[in-house]
């Protein structure tokens, strides 16, 4: 059957209801013939002002995945992308693979998670020493550090923006992000990687790469790049950073 839209790929993406960044960044980066379709997980209380609040919010997100998945599978996507970051890092590398497999079993199509996508992206860029930018609280950052360490990277530094609500993450401006990234660059990593899908960072990452002469990987860029490459779409996208332009 001829597709009028999504001729090359229909990508379903699961995002928390508080997220205002993933859809916009994916749509701006997706090459012609690739469409993005969203299922949203309800987040009734967006506070992440403490570790306890963060743990509760993650539980809400996980509970919402099956419903969000059912709603978006009706459009018959070719694969599902996990547009929420923190749950994909929990439990180290084994936990990440297990979660990806769990959602894939529910979806019946391949699934791309942010954690494994970042690993693939960093390896493509030749990075072994990495620094991590996070919007999270310590309970999440501990899991992020554990994941990357188990994946074989040396973490030279991890800096958190310590956002207090899931919605506030999208309100953090360049003036607050850039100094933190510069601190991370001073730890002498091979690359900087950002986690937290609701942080506006894809465009800024490309700019910072030029400024710092260092690979800077945004999680939304890495997840979309991985999904495209796994689907056999090898288009190079200029102006979006070296990952999409060169790999």
């Amino acid at each position: 059957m001829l597709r009028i839209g999504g001729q090359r790929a229909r990508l379903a993406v699961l995002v928390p209801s508080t997220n205002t960044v993933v859809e916009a960044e994916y749509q701006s980066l997706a090459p012609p013939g690739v469409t993005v379709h969203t299922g949203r997980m309800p987040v009734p209380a967006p506070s992440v002002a403490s570790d306890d609040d963060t743990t509760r919010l993650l539980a809400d997100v996980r509970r919402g995945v099956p419903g969000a998945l059912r709603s978006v599978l009706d459009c018959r996507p070719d694969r599902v992308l996990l547009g929420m970051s923190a749950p994909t890092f929990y439990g180290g590398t084994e936990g990440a693979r297990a979660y990806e497999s769990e959602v894939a079993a529910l979806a019946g199509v391949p699934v791309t998670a942010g954690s494994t996508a970042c690993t693939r992206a960093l390896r493509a860029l030749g990075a072994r020493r990495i620094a991590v930018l996070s919007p999270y609280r310590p309970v999440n950052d501990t899991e992020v550090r554990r994941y990357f360490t188990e994946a074989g990277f040396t973490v030279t530094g991890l800096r958190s923006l310590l956002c207090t609500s899931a919605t506030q993450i999208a309100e953090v401006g360049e003036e607050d992000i850039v100094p933190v990234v510069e601190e991370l660059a001073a730890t002498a990593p091979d690359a900087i990687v950002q986690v937290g899908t609701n942080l506006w960072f894809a465009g800024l990452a490309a700019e910072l790469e030029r400024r710092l002469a260092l690979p800077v990987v945004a999680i939304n860029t890495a997840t979309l790049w991985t999904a495209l490459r796994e689907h056999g779409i090898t288009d190079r996208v200029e102006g979006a950073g070296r990952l999409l332009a060169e790999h």
Side-chain angles (χ1 to χ4, degrees):
M1 179 183 298
L2 176 65
R3 289 185 181 179
I4 304 303
Q7 300 94 331
R8 303 172 72 195
R10 288 185 191 136
L11 304 179
V13 55
L14 304 185
V15 298
S17 58
T18 50
N19 193 296
T20 55
V21 173
V22 167
E23 293 146 302
E25 290 196 336
Y26 281 11
Q27 288 163 1
S28 71
L29 296 170
V34 176
T35 54
V36 179
H37 312 277
T38 306
R40 300 178 77 83
M41 293 85 75
V43 178
S47 174
V48 288
S50 68
D51 281 356
D52 287 345
D53 284 353
T54 300
T55 299
R56 175 204 42 73
L57 184 143
L58 290 181
D60 287 339
V61 169
R62 285 180 178 271
R63 277 194 296 269
V65 165
L69 192 57
R70 284 193 298 272
S71 72
V72 78
L73 286 177
D74 287 346
C75 75
R76 298 175 64 189
D78 297 296
R79 62 178 52 232
V80 172
L81 287 66
L82 302 185
M84 67 291 197
S85 173
T88 74
F89 286 97
Y90 269 59
T93 53
E94 283 192 20
R97 283 192 294 267
Y99 190 55
E100 201 172 48
S101 297
E102 176 187 331
V103 180
L106 290 173
V109 295
V111 168
T112 304
S115 54
T116 54
C118 285
T119 295
R120 178 169 172 170
L122 290 165
R123 288 175 179 163
L125 292 163
R128 304 177 81 173
R129 292 166 49 84
I130 65 169
V132 183
L133 171 67
S134 159
Y136 295 143
R137 311 302 297 185
V139 66
N140 282 348
D141 289 335
T142 297
E143 295 292 337
V144 170
R145 184 185 290 274
R146 173 188 171 186
Y147 171 84
F148 281 124
T149 300
E150 288 187 9
F153 299 101
T154 298
V155 179
T156 64
L158 189 156
R159 301 287 186 275
S160 178
L161 300 170
L162 294 174
C163 294
T164 57
S165 79
T167 51
Q168 187 221 345
I169 295 172
E171 298 166 3
V172 180
E174 179 178 337
E175 68 279 3
D176 294 314
I177 296 172
V178 170
V180 179
V181 174
E182 290 173 342
E183 288 179 19
L184 291 170
T187 67
D190 300 324
I192 295 169
V193 61
Q194 167 258 337
V195 299
T197 62
N198 204 28
L199 189 69
W200 289 103
F201 194 69
L204 181 56
E207 180 184 328
L208 286 167
E209 278 193 334
R210 294 189 293 270
R211 190 184 308 178
L212 300 171
L214 183 72
V216 181
V217 178
I219 190 167
N220 290 339
T221 303
T223 305
L224 181 63
W225 171 83
T226 298
L228 293 172
R229 299 301 181 256
E230 288 181 345
H231 200 65
I233 297 173
T234 58
D235 297 41
R236 300 297 193 255
V237 179
E238 296 297 329
R242 67 180 69 178
L243 183 63
L244 274 168
E246 301 174 8
H247 296 276

